[in-house]
Amino acid sequence: MVPVAPGRLPLLGHTLSLLRRRAAFTADLRSRGEIVKVYLGPVPTYFVTSPRLVHQVLVTDGARFRKGILFERFRPYLGNGLVLSEGAFHRRQRRMVQPAFHRERLARYAGTMVRAAADLTATWRPGEVRVVEHDMQALAVTVVGEALFSAELGRRAIAEIRRSVFDITKDGIVRALSPGVVARLPLPVNRRFDRATERMRGIVLEVIEERRAAGVDRGDLLSTLLLAQDEDSGARMTDRQVYDEVLTLLTAGVETTALALAWVFHELAEHPEAERRVHAEVDEVLAGRPAAFEDLAGLGYLHRVVDEVLRKYPIWLLMRKAVAPVDLGGTVLPPGAEVIVSPHGVHHDPAHYPDPERFDPDRWAPDRAAALPKGAFVPFGGGVRQCVGNAFARTEAVLTLATVAARWRLVPVPGKPVRTKFTTAAYPTGLLMTAVPRG
């Protein structure tokens, strides 16, 4: 018998207030067992709470699931990119996109990451108050935009991405969580979202058309997508398929990294010993020169800091729908059953992360990290649906942290505590910090 959680998990409205109480909610579900029946509006849903079942849903039995109802709400806006595509088409697209994130390509993108971070910090002035979440958003857009669209033609696209992408991600979540009729109402959030989507579609398709006509590999992500061929048929992606993948990379790549970096600087400012260790490692490894891809192996403590932020501030839930009968923890789910996996829930399970609200990068010391069960750390999902750009995001976060920490400290402004705004993830709002030169 599956325990039934009290109440229901409603769409929109109370959903956002529920997100604010997510820690208590997921802790309550954990106390009821590994799999708990809750309701997403009128829809019965199975919430899995243990790393063991999370790993089963995402990896072991991943082929028995497809994306759930919440993801389907995004399809009209994100198209059929890797986040939403299914089955044979998803496997085909992933094979074609994957080379864009091979090690030699990441090494090339690393130069863009370091240069963009250095250009940002070159605009800072000693004692200046920065809105850190805005800086990190602008930086993430620049990095992903230049990695996607190198050369002069890409500058117009990057400017439009900077203008539109956060309207698409934030307002798109509101639309996905709303009843269908709400999307057709002339509300400001709908008008803003529709205008941003139309602008983005126009500029990206224009760049795709011009780049396809040139037929040259410029070493960027877009060239990889345009020149990729299916290994079986030899076919290339259509312009619409390329557009869907570009929009997926933009929305997923910008938001995740911007949020992680903003929280990194917040946590380091709150934990002086961790900040001291970051500075000591950066000074030793870089010795005053710019960071490079080859330095990643020597920046072990910075990797731990980034992983601890990814643990503490992940997305709240992922959804899957069973396409075949599957036995989850002794409960046989029929085809069509909706399942919720909560990265936040497993990342804050005290059985695996003692004092889970505490920021502790040493959780990721090799011996402690190796002791974690499969499914206990899933910031980028898992299995064949794991985010294809996860190595890109980690590389960007570590190299940006190294570049900033080599020259600057970010100090909280007294009397201005950071506020947190929840959608499916925790957004810092009003993260005001003073830029202080080191030394």
Side-chain angles (χ1 to χ4, degrees), residues 210-237:
E210 294 185 31
R211 189 70 68 81
R212 194 184 290 281
V216 176
D217 185 353
R218 300 184 184 276
D220 55 18
L221 282 163
L222 182 57
S223 291
T224 302
L225 299 179
L226 288 170
L227 298 174
Q229 291 182 278
D230 178 59
E231 61 185 27
D232 296 325
S233 67
R236 292 182 174 175
M237 296 186 211

Side-chain angles (χ1 to χ4, degrees), residues 52-368:
R52 179 177 74 94
L53 294 190
V54 167
H55 184 73
Q56 182 181 347
V57 171
L58 297 181
V59 182
T60 309
D61 283 337
R64 293 176 175 267
F65 295 91
R66 64 178 177 85
K67 290 300 182 78
I69 187 173
L70 202 57
F71 285 96
E72 288 299 318
R73 294 285 189 93
F74 283 97
R75 192 174 297 281
Y77 322 117
L78 286 182
N80 208 28
L82 283 178
V83 168
L84 297 178
S85 59
E86 302 285 356
F89 181 78
H90 176 269
R91 291 191 294 273
R92 169 187 179 270
Q93 290 297 103
R94 191 175 181 95
R95 287 196 304 267
M96 296 174 76
V97 173
Q98 190 71 58
F101 298 98
H102 285 171
R103 182 178 174 83
E104 63 273 14
R105 292 278 183 171
L106 283 177
R108 183 178 299 181
Y109 305 146
T112 297
M113 296 167 184
V114 171
R115 184 180 67 254
D119 288 348
L120 170 65
T121 58
T123 68
W124 295 358
R125 297 294 175 261
E128 180 182 30
V129 174
R130 305 296 304 186
V131 184
V132 174
E133 73 268 25
H134 292 172
D135 277 346
M136 296 306 111
Q137 289 169 1
L139 176 64
V141 168
T142 299
V143 169
V144 174
E146 291 190 7
L148 269 168
F149 310 111
S150 61
E152 193 65 30
L153 181 63
R155 296 190 183 277
R156 289 183 293 115
I158 294 169
E160 187 55 64
I161 293 163
R162 188 174 291 114
R163 179 187 180 194
S164 301
V165 70
F166 289 100
D167 286 341
I168 292 174
T169 54
K170 292 182 180 180
D171 295 341
I173 290 170
V174 173
R175 186 173 288 199
L177 291 171
S178 301
V181 66
V182 174
R184 297 190 291 272
L185 297 177
L187 301 174
V189 65
N190 288 334
R191 290 197 296 268
R192 185 170 58 241
F193 177 84
D194 290 338
R195 286 195 299 265
T197 302
E198 192 59 34
R199 290 195 306 264
M200 185 81 85
R201 180 180 295 111
I203 189 65
V204 172
L205 287 175
E206 178 185 331
V207 173
I208 288 171
E209 182 180 353
E210 294 185 31
R211 189 70 68 81
R212 194 184 290 281
V216 176
D217 185 353
R218 300 184 184 276
D220 55 18
L221 282 163
L222 182 57
S223 291
T224 302
L225 299 179
L226 288 170
L227 298 174
Q229 291 182 278
D230 178 59
E231 61 185 27
D232 296 325
S233 67
R236 292 182 174 175
M237 296 186 211
T238 66
D239 285 359
R240 178 61 202 221
Q241 289 165 356
V242 172
Y243 171 80
D244 288 349
E245 300 302 350
V246 166
L247 192 59
T248 296
L249 293 171
L250 286 173
T251 54
V254 168
E255 181 185 51
T256 300
T257 309
L259 289 177
L261 283 169
W263 287 122
V264 159
F265 293 112
H266 168 72
E267 291 289 356
L268 289 178
E270 295 291 316
H271 297 86
E273 175 59 19
E275 183 186 56
R276 185 197 66 76
R277 291 175 66 181
V278 164
H279 290 158
E281 184 169 85
V282 167
D283 292 347
E284 179 182 356
V285 173
L286 300 188
R289 58 174 174 76
F293 183 75
E294 293 73 23
D295 295 316
L296 288 171
L299 296 171
Y301 189 71
L302 272 66
H303 282 279
R304 294 186 197 178
V305 167
V306 169
D307 279 347
E308 180 65 349
V309 164
L310 291 173
R311 179 198 69 82
K312 192 174 177 183
Y313 300 98
I315 63 172
W316 189 58
L317 59 83
L318 300 168
M319 291 195 70
R320 296 289 188 267
K321 177 180 287 188
V323 295
V326 57
D327 185 333
L328 275 184
T331 298
V332 179
L333 305 187
E338 295 280 350
V339 176
I340 294 177
V341 169
S342 175
H344 182 277
V346 292
H347 288 191
H348 287 76
D349 186 343
H352 308 296
Y353 301 104
D355 194 5
E357 295 301 326
R358 180 168 58 92
F359 179 74
D360 179 14
D362 285 331
R363 297 182 200 274
W364 303 102
D367 56 335
R368 293 177 66 181

Side-chain angles (χ1 to χ4, degrees), residues 21 37 122 272 287:
R21 305 192 304 273
K37 192 175 184 179

